[in-house]
Amino acid sequence: MGFFDLFAEEEENKKQREVRKEGQDTEFANEAHLDLREEELDIHKHRVETGDVELHKQIVEEEKEVNVPVSHDQVIIEQRSVDHEPTEEPISAEETMHIPVTAERVDVEKHTVVTGEVTAHKRSVEETEQVHDVLHKEVAEVEKHGDAEVINED
């Protein structure tokens, strides 16, 4: 039996069923046919927006305390006694000695550096969601009356 023969056979069975539907009250011939139907679920999915994420940055202030070692000059004056040694130099009016004194001063400047980065991306996550519904189905029931012999071939 070929592929197209199946369609021809189905079409013939359909015509026979139509004839039987018209003549429901007629006497039973050699064969009876009853279509059984049942419901199936048609499940469709669609995307809905459930929220959003904003990514932004803000500036925060942080007070920083840093210890910086600095140096400065100290002038130490020492005076000591000498055992009256004779000298050739006369006593003069004024004698001045100039001693420069230095100190380190701290200058603070700021500069900006990149310390990290933030990236964002989306990914799709598969989950399983259970759907519950009541489906209806037609089933055949066979009733026997009297001594009728029924053979059920499944």
Side-chain angles (χ1 to χ4, degrees), residues 16-27:
Q16 288 176 2
R17 283 192 298 261
E18 289 173 3
V19 169
R20 282 191 212 108
K21 285 182 186 175
E22 292 172 3
Q24 288 286 342
D25 296 335
T26 60
E27 190 67 30

Side-chain angles (χ1 to χ4, degrees), residues 45 50 63 65 71 82 84 113 116 124 129:
K45 300 185 289 184
T50 59
E63 199 167 311
E65 189 173 301
S71 65
V82 182
H84 301 281
V113 297
S124 182
E129 184 175 324

Side-chain angles (χ1 to χ4, degrees), residues 6 19 78:
L6 290 173
V19 169
E78 293 180 358

Side-chain angles (χ1 to χ4, degrees), residues 83-88:
D83 279 337
H84 301 281
E85 296 179 13
T87 183
E88 301 270 330

Side-chain angles (χ1 to χ4, degrees), residues 56-60:
H56 62 90
K57 59 183 179 179
Q58 67 182 32
I59 298 171
V60 295

Side-chain angles (χ1 to χ4, degrees), residues 1-137:
M1 176 179 291
F3 179 71
F4 293 106
D5 293 334
L6 290 173
F7 289 115
E9 185 177 307
E10 178 62 31
E11 190 64 33
E12 182 63 31
N13 288 340
K14 186 175 177 183
K15 287 179 185 174
Q16 288 176 2
R17 283 192 298 261
E18 289 173 3
V19 169
R20 282 191 212 108
K21 285 182 186 175
E22 292 172 3
Q24 288 286 342
D25 296 335
T26 60
E27 190 67 30
F28 176 72
N30 288 334
E31 184 179 318
H33 180 84
L34 181 65
D35 287 331
L36 301 177
R37 296 178 251 331
E38 70 179 74
E39 295 175 334
E40 293 183 346
L41 295 176
D42 291 327
I43 298 175
H44 305 281
K45 300 185 289 184
H46 64 282
R47 286 210 174 267
V48 295
E49 188 172 318
T50 59
D52 64 9
V53 173
E54 276 188 18
L55 183 61
H56 62 90
K57 59 183 179 179
Q58 67 182 32
I59 298 171
V60 295
E61 291 182 356
E62 176 184 4
E63 199 167 311
K64 192 101 173 179
E65 189 173 301
V66 179
N67 294 326
V68 179
V70 293
S71 65
H72 64 276
D73 293 338
Q74 291 180 334
V75 178
I76 301 168
I77 307 294
E78 293 180 358
Q79 190 171 348
R80 52 188 172 147
S81 303
V82 182
D83 279 337
H84 301 281
E85 296 179 13
T87 183
E88 301 270 330
E89 299 212 16
I91 295 177
S92 63
E94 280 189 34
E95 191 174 337
T96 303
M97 187 184 292
H98 182 71
I99 305 170
V101 178
T102 61
E104 292 179 330
R105 298 285 183 240
V106 177
D107 294 323
V108 177
E109 294 179 4
K110 297 186 274 185
H111 66 280
T112 304
V113 297
V114 177
T115 60
E117 68 179 5
V118 176
T119 60
H121 63 278
K122 295 190 323 182
R123 69 176 172 201
S124 182
V125 178
E126 291 281 329
E127 294 179 337
T128 301
E129 184 175 324
Q130 285 190 343
V131 178
H132 298 280
D133 205 345
V134 176
L135 301 178
H136 299 91
K137 175 180 182 177

